[in-house]
Amino acid sequence: MTATESLYLPSPVIHPYATLGGPLQRLSRGLARYVVTKRVHARNDRPLVSFTFDDIPDTAFIHGARVLEDRGARGTFYIAGGLCGTIETDRRLIDASDCVELHRRSHEIGCHTFSHPVVQTLDADVFASELDRNKEFFASLMPDLALENFCYPYGIASLPRKLQVQARFQSCRGSRAGINAGVIDLGMLRAVPIDYKTDAAMIVRAVDETVRSNGWLIFFTHDVAPDPTWIGCTPQLLDGAIATALRSGCEVVTIHEGLRRIGSQGSD
Ligand SMILES: [Zn+2]
């Protein structure tokens, strides 16, 4: 465990999928998480910070996108097309027209599968059809949109599914806490949550470590609301994180731009 990971663990909430399956499944999930399978040596000139949003609750569109734009920045929104327009117990997911609006405002849209399954439970064909279906969903909305980057639902995968998906996307983001620096695994980028247990001091520590290591810090959250769920944050906390990153000399970039800065594919 790195120093950065220890900042964020242990979480008092054990995700139900973290205990999925028997010993072999746990081994495969661990290999996916810890074995570098898509290696790149980062050559960024300046420390980088990205803000990413998963699923996406409509408050991330309403507040999250605006907070970034007010600071002259853009985010990456990992969207599962099958969730678009749905209403859950404690959140409403953005609809198709909101996706188009995000793209029009120069935010990046990434793939989060179509129906948000636990990737590890899928065989290769079913997983491929999940990815195809999401691609078709967005192609029908925005023919010019390229889904270049992927995020694992629940942050987990088996090693075979990781190898499968990393071949289709320029990067895949997980939820293993830490800063991407030096040799980076584009098959499962590390990320740091902004959620119910995050405060301004934790954000400052993570940004400071990013500056020290000239790394790439990828934050992730879900809803952005005055009264957020446990996996979301307030607009104020998000704005403070962006301000901290900028004040510390970091460049705030989308995942697409971050890949360009580290010298990986994705340049244009
Ligand atoms: Zn998700």
Side-chain angles (χ1 to χ4, degrees), residues 113-142:
T113 73
F114 183 75
S115 62
H116 205 275
V118 180
V119 167
Q120 188 181 12
T121 64
L122 309 180
D123 66 26
D125 289 344
V126 174
F127 188 29
S129 66
E130 274 282 339
L131 301 176
D132 290 342
R133 213 171 157 198
N134 210 43
K135 186 176 176 182
E136 288 158 12
F137 174 82
F138 282 106
S140 69
L141 292 178
M142 296 166 273

Side-chain angles (χ1 to χ4, degrees), residues 19-31 120:
T19 55
L20 185 76
L24 284 178
Q25 284 89 348
R26 286 201 295 276
L27 175 64
S28 184
R29 198 160 59 242
L31 289 172
Q120 188 181 12

Side-chain angles (χ1 to χ4, degrees), residues 3 8 23 30 56 60-61 64 80 91 98-99 102 105 125 134 143-144 155 161 183 190 193 241 243 253 268:
Y8 301 97
I56 306 288
F61 166 66
R91 62 181 189 172
D98 297 334
C99 295
L102 274 175
R105 284 156 56 181
D125 289 344
N134 210 43
D144 65 320
R161 294 295 80 77
V183 174
R190 297 187 187 199
V253 292
D268 53 19

Side-chain angles (χ1 to χ4, degrees), residues 196-232:
Y196 77 101
K197 61 183 181 298
T198 308
D199 60 25
M202 293 172 72
I203 288 169
V204 168
R205 287 202 300 277
V207 170
D208 284 350
E209 188 172 327
T210 304
V211 171
R212 269 197 303 278
S213 62
N214 192 38
W216 183 12
L217 169 61
I218 301 174
F219 283 118
F220 74 99
T221 193
H222 295 79
D223 53 305
V224 181
D227 184 22
T229 68
W230 69 277
I231 54 174

